[in-house]
Every structure is written in C-alpha cells, then in structure tokens.
Amino acid sequence: MPTLPVLDMSNKKVGDIELSAEIFDVEINEGLVHQAVVMQLASRRLGTHSTKTRGMVRGGGRKPWRQKGTGRARVGSRRSPLWRGGGIIFGPHPRDYSFTMPRKQRRLALKCVLTDKVKSDNLIILDDLKFDEAKTKKFVEFQKTFGVDACKSLFITKELVESVVRSSNNLQNAKTISAIQLNAFDLLNCDKLFITKDAVEKIQEVYI
C-alpha cells in the first residue's frame, strides 16, 4: 500500500496518506490503457464528413455522345466518377466512430495510469485547493510554488471549485476536473497530477 505525503498549497508537508493498493498499485496493462484512450478520442469525433456519389451530384441527365461510332469510350453521364465534377467512389459518409469497453476494463485502465503516476513520482496529494477569488495570477504563483509552471498539470478536486476552475481556464498547461470526471486521456496528457485529499477518498470510494 503506497504512502505519500500530503502537502498544503505552500508546498509544505502537513501529513501522510495511505493510498489503496487496489487503485494505486496494480499491474500496468499498456494495451488496455491504449484501448481506453482510443475509445475516448473516437467518441469525440463528429463523423460529419460527407461526399456525394454519382447519384447525388447535380446534372448528368443527358448522355454526352452516342454509344457507337465516335471512336471515343462509351459514357452514360457527365457525372461519372471518372470525370471532373463527377461523384466520389467510396468516399466518406456521416458515421459514428464511438465504441464501448466493458466497465471493468475502463476502470482498470484508470487504475493503471494512476499507478504509473505514483511509480514515476508524478502524483502530488494536496490537503486542499481553493482560492479566495478567481485570479489567474494567483494560480500561476501556486504553480511556481511546486515548480510546475512550465509543464502540463492536471488538478483533481472532489467537486469542481469555481475559483479554481476560473483561475486555471486561461492557462494552456493547467486543467481542473472533478473526481467523477476522471478519465485516461487527461491523466496521460499531464506531466504532473495533483489530487486533493478528499478527492482521493472519493476516487477510492467509487473505484474499489
């Protein structure tokens, strides 16, 4: 069972926390994590791309020339896919790219990524995370306190805190989500992961 220090917002240790081995110390399955990320990205695709077949293209009602005797290839329509301005052969059409994974596999993928963050020392447990007012400047100062102002950071709180979300919205290298919004892509896309103490308890409550 891994044990990590609990830090306050000034980067000072205020205690320790024991993390559940069922979530933060599992055998890492890279293939499963990859599948979970592909599933998440696939569900984001709009799938609105569309092309017209020869039956959808305007025009082409009249045969360009007679069938025989001209010395040219026989043609039935100017909208043939072989002609400029004609239809598209096997072109893309609107479709849904999303697919699903079993619930146990999705949860195990999250556990694998969380375990990797612990083993690579990229997980930081915060005692609390909140600001008196929503100021981007204060959030940047907070990042500099932990030396993460130059890298991508993900901040997870038990519930979305308005002052934290608004303070980090203008920063490209910071993102804030709640414990129930936990997902494999955001976890992998960050260099440093910050989780508040109560968010850890929420995650362990849900995923054990």
Side-chain angles (χ1 to χ4, degrees), residues 4-5 11 21 42 49 71 78 83 94 101 110 114 128 137 142 146 149 154 162 167 192 197 199:
L4 294 181
N11 199 6
H49 42 41
R78 294 181 183 275
W83 283 44
M101 290 173 59
L110 291 176
L114 290 172
D128 195 11
K137 182 178 179 181
F142 164 69
F146 287 85
D149 53 308
L154 178 65
E162 184 179 0
S167 297
K192 287 289 184 179
K197 188 176 180 180

Side-chain angles (χ1 to χ4, degrees), residues 1-6 16-21 24 197 200 204:
M1 183 176 291
T3 301
L4 294 181
V6 179
D16 293 296
I17 184 172
E18 289 188 355
L19 303 177
S20 172
F24 297 92
K197 188 176 180 180
V200 171
Q204 294 182 154

Side-chain angles (χ1 to χ4, degrees), residues 2 4 19 21 23-30 33 108-124 184 187-193:
L4 294 181
L19 303 177
I23 298 178
F24 297 92
D25 191 15
V26 300
E27 183 178 352
I28 298 177
N29 187 331
E30 294 182 1
V33 174
L108 180 57
L110 291 176
K111 295 175 183 180
C112 289
V113 182
L114 290 172
T115 298
D116 179 68
K117 292 297 181 183
V118 173
K119 292 184 176 180
S120 59
D121 293 328
N122 288 321
L123 174 60
I124 299 173
L187 290 176
L188 285 174
N189 197 38
C190 70
D191 300 315
K192 287 289 184 179
L193 175 61

